[in-house]
């Protein structure tokens, strides 16, 4: 493409679009003209970006297209209907669509945690490298630190602290996934190592049943949320490597927007698991009752994802913005 010739041929259209955008009122013919010029300028911008990128010209046309799009589509405000739609369709559909990433992540991570636990629980020398014998006994004895941890603070403040920590971990997985997923693997490894240490130490003390009774009520839902975040982060990282038929920029924009929505939804899921950890785990309920509550919460979430989310995904919902709210996409030159 000869950029100078292209600019000379279309400069008048861009100037006319700019002039129309500066007017407060347009008649019917001018409004139609604005829409037509917006579509043409968006196409021009795409051609320049793909064939003869020029930073200054691209910047000018990008601003012009953005202003025109705002004038054409108008400003839309979020409503409670949007929140309801997101919770009923967008979020579960996004989780369902990423199941091929987070389900294997969950299985492999659980296996890694179990291997860590077995290794620590069956090797006294590894236990000795973690802490002194007196400290290990204090951790694992009846009424020790593993048990009192869940009741060491008022339930409400403890639940809030747990929710904040877990939400931050999930957000890190989602945000850092763009770095080829490597930070996500580190977050997963750290979490599984911590779980494996508790599993191994309590099992070596013959108190594995107590450990599971403390972890399972909240841990099932909590870990599922972390695995979903990690799987989504890994998927985002893979998008950087292989965007598929989409351009890398478009693919990252779509998957990134879905990941942001995922972060909001997972924050709500982690709020529920935090409430269970703060109020149910340290409660005086029998172990079977506490575990039943945890299993019920996990099953409700999985049904929410696979029933509501599966139905929404099959109808075309992706968890991304609606088509009318996304940036306009136009054909690009080969």
């Amino acid at each position: 493409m000869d950029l100078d010739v292209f600019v000379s041929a279309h400069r008048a259209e861009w100037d006319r679009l700019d002039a129309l955008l500066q007017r407060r009122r347009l008649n019917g013919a001018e409004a139609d003209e604005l829409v037509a010029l917006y579509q043409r300028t968006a196409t021009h911008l795409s051609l320049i970006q793909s064939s003869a990128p020029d930073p200054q010209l691209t910047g000018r046309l990008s601003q012009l297209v953005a202003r025109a799009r705002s004038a054409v589509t108008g400003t839309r405000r979020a409503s409670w209907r949007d929140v309801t739609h997101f919770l009923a369709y967008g979020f579960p559909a996004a989780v369902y669509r990423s199941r091929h990433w987070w389900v294997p992540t969950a299985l492999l991570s659980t296996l890694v945690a179990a291997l860590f636990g077995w290794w620590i629980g069956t090797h006294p020398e590894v236990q000795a490298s973690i802490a002194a014998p007196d400290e290990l006994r204090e951790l694992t004895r009846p009424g020790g630190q593993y048990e009192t941890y869940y009741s060491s603070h008022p339930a409400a403040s403890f639940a809030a602290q747990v929710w904040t920590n877990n939400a931050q971990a999930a957000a890190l997985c989602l945000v850092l996934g763009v770095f080829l997923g490597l930070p996500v693997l580190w977050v997963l490894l750290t979490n599984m190592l911590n779980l494996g240490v508790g599993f191994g130490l309590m099992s070596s003390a013959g108190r594995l049943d107590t450990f599971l009774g403390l972890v399972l009520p909240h841990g099932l839902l909590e870990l599922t949320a972390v695995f979903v975040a990690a799987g989504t982060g890994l998927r985002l990282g893979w998008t950087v490597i292989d965007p598929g038929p989409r351009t890398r920029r478009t693919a990252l924009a779509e998957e990134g927007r879905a990941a942001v929505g995922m972060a909001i939804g997972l924050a709500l899921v982690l709020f529920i698991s935090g409430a269970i950890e703060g109020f149910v785990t340290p409660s005086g309920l029998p172990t079977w009752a506490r575990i039943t509550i945890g299993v019920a919460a996990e099953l409700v979430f999985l049904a929410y994802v696979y029933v509501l989310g599966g139905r929404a995904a099959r109808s075309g919902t992706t968890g991304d913005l609606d088509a009318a709210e996304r940036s306009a996409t136009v054909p690009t030159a080969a």
Side-chain angles (χ1 to χ4, degrees), residues 157-331:
S157 62
F158 182 71
Q161 179 183 355
V162 167
W163 174 52
T164 302
N165 293 338
N166 290 333
Q168 288 177 345
L172 283 176
C173 288
L174 292 167
V175 172
L176 298 180
V178 73
F179 297 104
L180 304 183
L182 298 178
V184 178
L185 296 176
W186 174 253
V187 172
L188 274 176
L189 181 63
T190 302
N191 278 272
M192 293 306 101
L193 178 58
N194 290 335
L195 181 62
V197 168
F199 181 89
L201 294 180
M202 289 293 277
S203 65
S204 67
R207 309 199 65 229
L208 182 59
D209 56 339
T210 301
F211 177 76
L212 294 177
L214 291 170
V215 171
L216 290 180
H218 64 273
L220 290 172
L221 187 60
E222 176 184 300
L223 287 175
T224 299
V226 172
F227 294 146
V228 170
T232 303
L234 292 173
R235 178 180 180 175
L236 187 61
W238 184 253
T239 300
V240 177
I241 300 171
D242 181 15
R246 303 168 291 180
T247 65
R248 184 168 282 102
R249 180 178 178 180
T250 300
L252 283 175
E254 292 177 357
E255 299 300 336
R257 288 191 298 262
V260 171
M262 191 89 78
I264 298 172
L266 289 178
L268 297 176
V269 175
L270 289 168
F271 177 80
I272 297 173
S273 72
I276 295 174
E277 187 169 358
F279 293 95
V280 176
T281 298
S283 70
L285 291 173
T287 299
W288 66 265
R290 288 185 280 115
I291 292 178
T292 299
I293 292 173
V295 171
E298 174 74 358
L299 292 177
V300 167
F301 177 71
L302 292 178
Y304 169 70
V305 169
Y306 278 87
V307 177
L308 285 182
R311 185 182 305 155
R314 286 188 291 273
S315 68
T317 303
T318 64
D320 191 8
L321 296 174
D322 291 336
E325 299 172 353
R326 302 177 207 156
S327 298
T329 56
V330 293

Side-chain angles (χ1 to χ4, degrees), residues 2-152:
D2 189 322
L3 189 60
D4 293 334
V5 173
F6 189 85
V7 171
S8 298
H10 299 290
R11 186 192 301 275
E13 294 177 294
W14 305 336
D15 291 341
R16 175 60 176 167
L17 177 60
D18 185 50
L20 289 173
L21 290 172
Q22 294 181 30
R23 296 187 183 181
R24 292 189 177 182
R25 293 180 180 273
L26 300 175
N27 58 37
E30 290 172 335
D32 291 340
E33 184 183 8
L34 187 148
V35 172
L37 288 173
Y38 158 59
Q39 294 173 333
R40 284 186 221 153
T41 305
T43 303
H44 298 160
L45 174 60
S46 176
L47 290 171
I48 291 171
Q49 288 176 325
S50 61
S51 301
D54 177 88
Q56 185 175 359
L57 182 59
T58 298
R60 181 200 170 188
L61 292 185
S62 295
Q63 293 180 0
L64 193 58
V65 168
R67 289 168 54 206
R69 181 177 186 276
S70 178
V72 170
T73 61
T75 302
R76 184 178 181 278
R77 295 183 178 179
S79 65
W80 283 108
R81 182 178 180 182
D82 297 317
V83 176
T84 302
H85 183 273
F86 169 73
L87 293 177
Y89 302 101
F91 174 57
V95 178
Y96 180 83
R97 287 180 62 243
S98 63
R99 69 193 185 282
H100 297 302
W101 286 90
W102 64 262
V103 170
T105 298
L107 295 175
L108 290 174
S109 298
T110 303
L111 177 61
V112 168
L115 290 175
F116 272 135
W118 169 82
W119 181 53
I120 293 170
T122 57
H123 292 76
E125 67 277 11
V126 177
Q127 299 169 30
S129 68
I130 295 174
D134 291 342
E135 294 175 327
L136 294 178
R137 281 193 292 271
E138 179 59 29
L139 283 170
T140 59
R141 68 175 177 82
Q145 293 180 21
Y146 268 119
E147 292 186 43
T148 58
Y149 167 75
Y150 296 100
S151 56
S152 57

